[in-house]
């Protein structure tokens, strides 16, 4: 099979890291041993520096929504060109913690930037490049925030209010229904049930795995 880019999306506390492990385990079980995991923002030297900027709780000045959008897109460009595309070209599967859908949800839904602005920047940065398959882990924002609250110190984005994350979730749900390559997983269920749903979604989308 041609190497694929599989993306895991969702709010903070949705369980993306656990989902990535579940995907990796299934790929290994079906005989795919060449794979890497990436995260956004981050994944390269420069992209990790951008991550530090957008996540920092102490800012010398206010990070404007438009600036946040451009920084996220810049980090994504570095990751796609220096890591994801080379990996796929070598036959290595990529499992990504976030991709472009996050920008539409967070900077579009959360920050309420206009769709045409995001689309314009998206086209410049990614053109026609897109994931082969996306799993969106859906969870009520209050549940997600409760989960991350148990981890310790929150970053700048995690410190946003409930209304911010409610807008993000609404945008995610709107977008999920516009792309047949995106599958919604109810991430509020018990872990074993979520993992079973992830495996079922992958098996359904990739019949070669059977």
């Amino acid at each position: 099979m041609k190497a694929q880019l599989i993306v895991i999306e969702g709010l903070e506390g949705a369980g993306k890291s656990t989902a990535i492990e579940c995907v990796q385990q299934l790929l290994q079980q079906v005989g795919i041993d060449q794979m890497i995991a990436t995260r956004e923002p981050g994944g390269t030297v420069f992209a990790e520096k951008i991550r530090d900027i957008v996540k920092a709780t102490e800012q010398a000045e206010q990070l404007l929504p438009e600036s946040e959008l451009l920084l996220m897109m810049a980090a994504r460009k570095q990751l796609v060109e220096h890591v994801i595309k080379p990996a796929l070209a070598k036959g290595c599967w990529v499992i990504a913690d976030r991709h472009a859908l996050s920008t539409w949800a967070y900077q579009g839904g959360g920050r309420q930037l206009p769709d045409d602005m995001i689309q314009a920047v998206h086209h410049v940065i990614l053109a026609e490049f897109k994931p082969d398959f996306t799993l969106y882990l859906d969870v009520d924002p209050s549940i997600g925030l409760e989960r991350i609250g148990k981890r310790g110190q929150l970053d700048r984005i995690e410190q946003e209010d409930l209304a911010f994350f409610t807008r993000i979730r609404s945008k995610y749900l709107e977008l999920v229904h516009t792309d047949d390559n995106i599958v919604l997983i109810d991430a509020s269920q018990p872990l074993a049930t979520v993992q079973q749903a992830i495996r079922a979604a992958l098996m359904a989308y990739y019949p070669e795995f059977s």
Side-chain angles (χ1 to χ4, degrees), residues 139-154:
V139 66
D140 186 281
S142 60
I143 296 176
L145 291 175
E146 181 181 356
R147 290 175 178 176
I148 65 172
K150 298 175 181 178
R151 299 176 186 169
Q153 186 175 358
L154 304 180

Side-chain angles (χ1 to χ4, degrees), residues 30-199:
V30 299
I32 297 171
D33 53 10
Q34 292 189 47
M35 69 184 84
I36 60 169
T38 65
R39 70 174 183 176
E40 287 197 16
T44 76
V45 173
F46 287 149
E48 289 292 333
K49 292 181 183 298
I50 292 173
R51 182 185 182 89
D52 291 340
I53 292 173
V54 299
K55 295 279 191 175
T57 55
E58 295 182 6
Q59 301 281 352
E61 60 187 277
Q62 179 187 10
L63 183 60
L64 300 173
E66 294 85 354
S67 300
E68 183 180 273
L69 167 66
L70 294 172
L71 286 169
M72 292 294 195
M73 288 292 198
R76 181 168 301 131
K77 182 67 172 179
Q78 293 296 119
L79 180 64
V80 167
E81 298 299 332
H82 290 295
V83 177
I84 295 178
K85 284 184 177 179
L88 294 173
K90 295 176 181 178
C92 181
W93 288 55
V94 180
I95 304 95
D97 182 339
R98 300 196 183 283
H99 192 61
L101 200 65
S102 282
T103 294
W104 290 95
Y106 278 74
Q107 283 72 55
R111 303 296 184 202
Q112 299 180 293
L113 293 177
D115 286 349
D116 58 352
M117 176 188 293
I118 296 175
Q119 177 58 40
V121 181
H122 175 89
H123 180 71
V124 170
I125 296 299
L126 294 180
E128 302 303 317
F129 183 80
K130 61 180 294 187
D132 296 288
F133 184 57
T134 299
L135 288 168
Y136 163 61
L137 306 179
D138 184 53
V139 66
D140 186 281
S142 60
I143 296 176
L145 291 175
E146 181 181 356
R147 290 175 178 176
I148 65 172
K150 298 175 181 178
R151 299 176 186 169
Q153 186 175 358
L154 304 180
D155 64 38
R156 183 182 68 91
I157 294 176
E158 291 171 341
Q159 290 178 3
E160 293 287 349
D161 60 20
L162 182 61
F164 174 77
F165 292 104
T166 298
R167 292 195 300 272
I168 292 171
R169 185 194 186 195
S170 295
K171 192 66 173 181
Y172 265 130
L173 292 174
E174 173 190 329
L175 295 166
V176 163
H177 299 298
T178 66
D179 191 335
D180 292 338
N181 293 344
I182 304 175
V183 172
L184 183 150
I185 302 292
D186 182 357
S188 65
Q189 304 175 98
L191 177 58
T193 305
V194 173
Q195 292 177 326
Q196 183 178 8
I198 290 172
R199 293 176 63 89

